Every structure is written in C-alpha cells, then in structure tokens.
Amino acid sequence: MRHLQQSLGNITMTSLKLKTLLASLALAASGMAAAQNSLLNVSYDVAREFYKDYNTAFTAHYKKTTGKDVKIDQSHAGSSAQARAVNDGLDADVVTMNTTTDVQFLADNGVVAKDWAKKFPHDASPTTSTMLFLVRNGNPKNIKDWDDLIKPGVQVIVVNPKTGGNGRYAYLAAWGAVREKGGTDAQAAEFVGKLYKNVPVLAKGGRDATATFLQRNQGDVLITFESEVVSVEREFGKGKVDAVYPSVSVTAENPVAVVERTVAKKGTGDLAKAYLDYLYSDEAQEIAAKHAIRPRSEAVLKKHADQFKPIKQFTVAKYFGSLTEAQKVHFNDGGQFDKLYTPGAK
Amino acid sequence: MTAATSVAARGAVPAAPARAARRASKRVLPGFGLTLGYTLFYLSIIVLIPLSALLFKTATLSWEQFWTAISAPRVVASYRLTFGASFLAALVNLFFGLLIAWVLVRYRFPGKKIVDALVDLPFALPTAVAGISLTALLAGNGWVGSILEPLGIQLAFKPAGIVVALIFIGLPFVVRTVQPVLEDAEKELEEAATCLGATRWQTFRLVILPSIMPALLTGFAMAFARAVGEYGSVIFIAGNMPMVSEITPLIIIGKLEQYDYAGATAVAVVMLVISFVLLFIINALQAWQRRRAGAPA
Amino acid sequence: MSATTATRTIRRAQAGTTEAPWVRWTLIGIALAFMLLFLVLPLAAVFAEALRKGFGAYLEGLREPDAWAAIRLTLITAAIAVPLNLVFGVAAAWCIAKYEFKGKAFLTTLVDLPFSVSPVVAGLIYVLVFGAQGWIGPWLAAHDIKIVFAVPGIVLATVFVTFPFIARELIPLMQAQGNDEEQAAIVLGATGWQTFWHVTLPNIKWGLLYGVILCNARAMGEFGAVSVVSGHIRGQTNTIPLHVEILYNEYQSVAAFAAASLLALLALVTLVIKTIAEHRNEQALKAAAELPPERPAPAGV
C-alpha cells in the first residue's frame, strides 16, 4: 500500500496528510464547542425560524435567571427522519417534533421517558397547528369546505401520507370531518377515497406541496398546515393565495420531550427541562403566534384572533385513538391508505 | 515474482509444473497479488460489509413477511417503473452519448471546449437541485413545459418526466467512458478499411463500433446503475402516485417513515439483487465481446 | 503559409476517414441540441432562480455563517474521499484491466454496485453498522466515538457513493490500450513500479483526471446518502447540498439556489482548469509532432 502511494507521488501523500489533519482539527473544534454548556434541539423542518427567535429569547432568559451562558444547536429535517436519527444515536438533548408518533417511537425504544406526555402541560405540546385550504387568489372554484374537494374537476394537492406528517394530518382531517358531521367510518372511507381520486400529485413534503401548487401551478387547492401560510406569503408574496378555513379540522399537536439517554450522559437534565418549560411562557407563546403556530395560551390566542380564526377542531384521539393507532390502521403498508390505490378495493 | 518474470521472459516453461506455468502467464506484469488484495480489502470494508448489514437486517423477517413486503402490488409496480425507466434512459444516453463523444473527438466546431466541459455538469449539481430545476423546466409554466403541454405532451409528474430526469443524470457516463477510447482509436484501421473499399458507414459499423463496444457497454451499465438508484433528482418530477409513478427508493423511504427498518431493507435487497444480476450480465457480455474482438489479456 | 499547406495536406489525407460535411454538421447539430435541452437549460434554470430577486439577495444568501460551515464541510469531505478512491481506483483498474482471472466479471460488477444502490440505502447501511442500534454502535457509544451523525459518517457515505468513479473511468481505457507497452517495459528490465509510473500513468493521465473530476464533483454534490448520516446539525454537519435542501424547505429558494449555484460554479471552475491543462497538453503534442510523425497527429481534426 505504501508503495502504491509512493508511485502516485509524494504530493498526493502530503495532501492526504494535510487534509486529514484539517479534518481532525475541524472535529476537535466542534467537540470543544460541545463541551461548554450546550444543548442540541432536534426539531422538524419548518421550525427553524421559530426556534431562531425562541433560542435568542431563551438564552437571554436563562442568563438572567441563572447567570449562565448556554449555546443551543439546532437540527432540522423531516420529523420522522429526525426521530430515526435520534434513535440511531444522534445526541439530542431535547426533541421538538410535529407528530406524536415520532416521540412515541423514541419512547418505545427507551430513548425518551415512557410517560413523556405527562412531563409537560397540555400533553407535552406547547403549540399546535391545524389543517386548512389554500386556494388561488379570488377562489375561482369557490371552495369553502371539505365537500367541495370531491367535486369533479377540482384538483387537490396534498402531501404523501407515507412520507410526511403534513400528509397524514390532511388525511385524518378529511376522515374526521365526515365523522364530525355524524358520518360513519364507512362513509368517511368513501369520502377520502373520492378525495384522493382528485389528487394528481402526492408531494414529498410540505414545502414540495407548496412549490407544486404555487410554482408549478398544479391543482386548485392545497391542504397544508396553518403555520405554512406565513412562510408562503413571505416567499411568494401576499395576494397570490387565499386561506380558506373549513368548517372543521384536526388539531395537530407539536410534542416536545427530553431525551433521557443523552441528558443522563451529558448531565444536562436541568437545562433541557428549563428549555422546554420556557416554551409555555408568555414570551415563547407570543413568538409562536408570530410564526403562525397556534399557542396553547388562551390569552395569547385571543390577542391574535385575526390571525388564528376560530375553527372547530377535533383531536386525533377523538376518532383514531392516537396518532400511533392511526398510523397502524391507515398509513402502514396494507392499511386504509394503501387500499385506496389497490384496484378493486374502493 | 522476479523468478516468474524471468521465466516468462525467457519463454521457457516446458518442464515447469502446470500450476507454475499458469501463474507465470498471469504474472508477466507484476502487481497482481498486491492490486487484487488491496482491491478486495477496500471493497470489503467500504462496500461489502456495510451492504451485508442490509442482508442481516432483512434476515430478521420471516419468509412470509419478506415475501409480503417485496411482492405487494405497489412495490412490484415500482420495480417496473424504476428499472424500466432506467433502462430506457440508459438506452437514450447510449445513443446520444456516443453521438456527443464522436462529435467531440472527431470534429471541430466553435465552442467545442465549452460543450466538452458542460458534459460533466450533471455530476456537479446536487441531485435535489437538478430535480428542482428540471421540474421547473418541464412543468406547465416552465420554459419547456409551456411549449410541450399545449401539444398534449405532459412530462412533469408523469413517468415520462422520470425518464427525462434519468437521461440528464446518466448522460456523462457514456460520453466520458467512450471519449478516451475514441481518442485512442487507431486511424490506420479506418484508412485500411477505406482503401479496401468500405463506405464510411460500413467502416463505422464494422471497424470502429466493435472496438468501442466494450466502452459503450461500460458506459451503458454505469448510466443504468446510476439511474436505478437515483432519488434526489427524480422525486420532485415524479407524481409519486402509487402504482403509476412511484419509484422504488420512495417505497423504501415510506417504509422507513413507518419505522419498518426490516421492510425497507427487504425491498433494498431486492433492488440490489436485480441490479447486480443486470450489471453482471452487461459486464459478462462486455468481456465476451472483448474476447471475440481478439483483445489481448 | 506552410502551416496552412500542411493542414490542407493532412485534411486531404484524412478525407478518406471523415464523413461528408453535411453528415458532420448534422451530427454536430443534433449533439448540440441534445446538450442544450438536457444540460444547458437546467443549469440556466439554477442561475435564473438564484438571481430571481437580484444580485443583492444572491449575495445575502451566501453570506450566512451556516453557508460557510457547509462549504467547509463539503470541501473537507471531498478532500478525504477523493484521494482514498483514487488509490483504490488505480489499484482496481490495474488489476482488472491487465490480467485475466476467474471471477473478473463478478469483481467488476461488485465495483459497479455502489452506483445502483439508492443513496438513502447507502446512508442506511452505515447507520445499520455504526448507529446506536447497530453492530458496533454500543461499543462506539461507550468510547464516545461518533461516526454516524458526525463528520466521519459523512465521509464514509461519500466514499461509498463515489466509489466506482475512478476505477470505471480507467478500466475501459486501460483495456483499450492493452498490455503491449507495459510488457515491453518489463522485458527491457523495468520494475513494476517503474513500469506503472513511466509507462502506464502517462497513458491514462486524461482518464485519471476525468475520473478524479467526476469523483470530486459527485462527492461535493451528494445529497441522499449524506442526508441520512448527517444529523443535520446546523453549522456543524450540513454539507452544501443539505444546506440547499434546508433553505428550500424554509421557503428561501433564492438562498437555496444561490448555494446550489456555488456548486455549479465550483464544477465549472474545475472544468475550466481541466480544459486549460488539456489545451497545454495539446500544444505540447503539436510541438512534438513537428518531428516526422509515424502517423498523422490526432490533434489536427
């Protein structure tokens, strides 16, 4: 092996050594940074803006109350991908997800506490969101509620439930809407089947769905999280889309949890708890409202009533038991969603 | 090794045992043991051992579970789409890649150097970026889509769009594999053919093509292999509709999203095996073709 | 004057081995059209999107510290992955191209295999081996060694996906060149290393360069596999492609395409360097061709 390297020239050898040295320096540097009072928050995709503001607020608050400096690292990717990463060894101190199944997965694997939902108020969800419709400016197809989505000629853009929490909530919202009106599960299944017949493209994720709807000009209506609307307007400009609130929609909880496995090793248990506790403070709830995420605090919600229109919501638990159960029944392979696409099974 | 080399150089092997004779004919050029050893070592560490993790994970399933996972109608439809589209795209790249390599090597025209440099572009763009920009181009309001869709040809969010994306990412393989070989081609053979009365097309078909066929097949195999595994550039332009425009890598992701690691690895193993078999056939074909053309070892 | 006459003579001599002009120009036309459609347009689309809100926004998108961390990480990864695969590529090409042995097609196929493994699977396998639930994960955790979700994991995944590039560039080239020159060198008394260094290497120079450039470009642009093993820690374990995805997902498409255009520019720069080096080499060849040639210089077409 050494002979071959010699043949290729000492230059290659030296540059290889140089670059390995550089790499190890970089590794050491990042390791050193972690040794200070630091916290890794593993979160979901579109939460970056929110956590950027929140982290600034929290570090100030922490310094004021304890006099200590703290460095907060953020990691953002798809919620389930993040859960898998933490399960496979990513050293998160806290996880802040947008689907309860992901935190439950970690609990089942002993990474977070089994009773994680009881450790913080409101089932450990300081914020929520809901699903609504985005239609073209002026609402040319006059889409007001769920029933309008199954009309012939209406094209619906939605996220693939198999690959995104956004998509799963859209599906559950549609299903639950039928149940809320007094329908049976069979009627709900029929409705959802008709709905997905009107879907020309299953987007990979929330952002992809928005791009398909707004940039590729596909579809007449986009079902997505309420919190996406602010981002959409910022990127594409106001006035391109109208937000339509259906009569009823589902509550999408944003659960948070301390990663016991990591804090036991790093000794950051108190810091992690303080970090998550502060999410329920008025300051944090205000920041959430600013980013179109529904706060739990009634006071803050009322203050921003023009942004968060009142909408009748049902929880996942009401019709599906829990998101984990819904996952098993509807979204896992062979489940209800798959049945929609297997020929013969309507 | 020196002994074997000098034996070969002297050409005297009558009395030597058969095994030494065989070894001697292999080792005219030294370094076989070393290079083969290092190749196998590196291959094992980087590729084989991690890939075996796939097999081990899949082995945690029972045969029934395994079979259900890999033979579900959606999954089978995705195999057809993935392998079919990849094959088609590699075929298109075979033809146009040869054309482009030919044009770059044999002809002079303004801007040739730029064109030559551009061929490597699909490698430079991150696959996801390529996917986004291809989708932007081919969608109804894109530069290309706005021309084609009124004609009734929809590419975005349809299987045809997938083929287009795969053509994009596979193009450099054929060109770059054929180009050096074409450059090295000996002109005397063509001149001899012309002297003997062959038309230009006959010369191309009977003299040039066979000599570059191994390179062509290599390029095809590489373009095909790459297309099969491709995810980032395809996922944006595919409609992802189950049974119609869903590629196998997406199914794998879907299974991971359900935390079904074993199911994901099962489908991945199937993909791996099919790819391996197809590649093996192409490579064996290429080796046979080379032997037929009388190339030296 | 004599140069033109010489060129004309060469051209006439080559008339028997070139196509009619109309054939030539048709082929050139088709090739250019194909390339325009499939290569130039997507490239233009990247820059068009990046500059959609003006040059100022373009620069803003690049000024972020996260962007610079991503660039640093990308360069480090490529700097480690490419030399590793270079050594392997040369060894494998030598082994496969210069000898006949049983199972050669099998070995070649194994070398090709990483190409067809979907990037997500490529990342997944390293997680299966090094992750917390993996084979040696617990041992690594006990010794506080981070492989996946840290830089080493990213390097490993990159090495995997760029594994075959150099080898597969060299193999057909070395096969086409045959063993004659090397055998002649051995007969004349050169050692293996001398043969390789003085005979083989100059012959495969351009194939090697192509291979390194491709390998480098892919290493810098790899997304799927790195995405799985990265951990996505902002400012620490995001490469440029991952950074592009993050920005895109946060509805900052201008910044996303700005970062993407960086990669495209980096690639274009490498290609320009390659072209210049090639040009110099051509000129050296032309100078050498002033001597009575054994065959017409190939650089004249």
Side-chain angles (χ1 to χ4, degrees), chain C residues 16-263:
Chain C
T17 53
T18 349
E19 294 71 53
W22 74 266
V23 177
R24 254 188 288 144
W25 287 104
T26 318
L27 290 180
I28 293 176
I30 299 177
L32 286 183
F34 185 81
M35 287 204 44
L36 182 76
L37 203 60
F38 282 91
L39 294 186
V40 175
L41 281 187
L43 177 66
V46 172
F47 284 102
E49 282 289 318
L51 295 168
R52 192 157 52 97
K53 293 208 178 122
F55 202 63
Y58 179 80
L59 289 179
E60 264 311 306
L62 296 178
R63 255 197 273 267
E64 253 197 284
D66 280 349
W68 282 108
I71 294 172
R72 233 184 2 252
L73 183 59
T74 303
L75 290 176
I76 289 175
T77 309
I80 301 177
V82 174
L84 280 177
N85 281 334
L86 176 67
V87 170
F88 165 75
V90 171
W94 179 269
C95 172
I96 292 176
K98 300 290 181 192
Y99 307 102
E100 283 297 324
F101 52 93
K102 266 205 175 61
K104 192 160 86 153
F106 189 75
L107 182 64
T108 317
T109 315
L110 279 180
V111 172
D112 273 340
L113 212 49
F115 266 151
S116 61
V117 173
S118 178
V120 173
V121 176
L124 181 63
I125 56 181
Y126 288 106
V127 170
L128 285 177
V129 174
F130 296 106
Q133 322 271 355
W135 290 349
I136 56 179
W139 183 88
L140 289 172
H143 291 80
D144 209 23
I145 304 175
K146 289 212 184 82
I147 304 242
V148 277
F149 309 123
V151 177
I154 296 179
V155 172
L156 267 179
T158 311
V159 168
F160 182 91
V161 294
T162 53
F163 187 80
F165 273 95
I166 296 176
R168 287 314 242 134
E169 272 306 310
L170 291 180
I171 292 175
L173 187 59
M174 287 168 86
Q175 281 176 337
Q177 287 169 348
N179 287 354
D180 305 339
E181 296 184 27
E182 283 84 6
Q183 286 173 345
I186 300 282
V187 164
L188 290 171
T191 65
W193 311 118
Q194 283 175 325
T195 313
F196 174 74
W197 187 244
H198 294 288
V199 177
T200 317
L201 209 48
N203 275 342
I204 60 172
K205 200 163 43 181
W206 295 116
L208 193 62
L209 189 59
Y210 285 142
V212 167
I213 286 179
L214 297 186
C215 185
N216 182 56
R218 182 67 199 273
M220 295 199 295
E222 175 51 33
F223 171 73
V226 175
S227 178
V228 175
V229 297
S230 145
H232 300 279
I233 304 177
R234 311 190 77 100
Q236 288 176 32
T237 59
N238 275 325
T239 56
I240 298 180
L242 293 182
H243 190 64
V244 170
E245 192 210 15
I246 290 176
L247 289 174
Y248 186 73
N249 277 334
E250 287 162 5
Y251 296 95
Q252 297 189 57
S253 38
V254 169
F257 277 100
S261 69
L262 261 190
L263 276 178

Side-chain angles (χ1 to χ4, degrees), chain B residues 29-30 32 34 42 46 106-108 113 117 120 123-124 126 168 176 184 194 200 218 225-226 229 283 297, chain C residues 11 16-17 19 24 38 85 98-99 109 116 118-119 126 168-169 177 179 193 214 218 263 267 271 275 301:
Chain B
L29 293 179
F32 178 65
L34 181 65
Y42 194 80
I46 301 282
R106 289 298 174 99
Y107 304 152
R108 265 208 326 221
K113 289 235 161 30
D120 286 324
F123 286 130
F168 173 81
R176 291 313 191 206
D184 256 15
T194 316
R200 195 67 192 131
T218 307
R226 173 70 193 275
N283 281 326
Chain C
R11 286 251 179 84
T17 53
E19 294 71 53
R24 254 188 288 144
F38 282 91
N85 281 334
K98 300 290 181 192
Y99 307 102
T109 315
S116 61
S118 178
Y126 288 106
R168 287 314 242 134
E169 272 306 310
Q177 287 169 348
N179 287 354
W193 311 118
L214 297 186
R218 182 67 199 273
L263 276 178
L271 297 178
T275 312
V301 186

Side-chain angles (χ1 to χ4, degrees), chain A residues 1 80 83-84 88 102 105 162-163 199-202 204 208 215-218 327 331-333 338 341, chain B residues 34 38 73-74 135-136 139 141 157 231 235-236 239-243 250 253-259 261:
Chain A
M1 188 137 127
S80 309
R84 281 199 306 279
D88 287 322
D102 298 325
F105 169 69
K162 291 276 199 183
T163 58
V199 174
V201 176
L202 282 171
K204 191 171 73 100
D208 191 33
Q215 285 177 307
R216 308 285 82 82
N217 271 339
Q218 301 281 318
Q327 178 75 30
F331 305 121
N332 278 356
D333 284 338
D338 276 347
Y341 285 96
Chain B
L34 181 65
Y38 182 66
R74 261 180 75 217
T135 314
N141 59 350
F157 312 120
Y231 179 75
I235 206 66
F236 291 96
N240 304 320
M241 305 306 293
M243 305 297 287
L250 181 61
I253 300 258
K255 287 201 182 281
L256 285 177
E257 290 277 312
Q258 293 166 209
Y259 303 116
Y261 281 77

Side-chain angles (χ1 to χ4, degrees), chain B residues 262-283:
Chain B
T265 55
V267 178
V269 162
V270 171
M271 275 192 80
L272 204 61
V273 167
I274 299 182
S275 309
F276 185 84
V277 166
L278 288 169
L279 285 176
F280 186 75
I281 292 177
I282 296 174
N283 281 326

Side-chain angles (χ1 to χ4, degrees), chain A residues 47-57 74 76, chain C residues 64 252:
Chain A
R48 181 181 97 132
E49 298 290 308
F50 168 65
Y51 279 104
K52 202 157 76 159
D53 290 342
Y54 175 73
N55 288 346
T56 319
Q74 289 288 133
H76 292 277
Chain C
E64 253 197 284
Q252 297 189 57

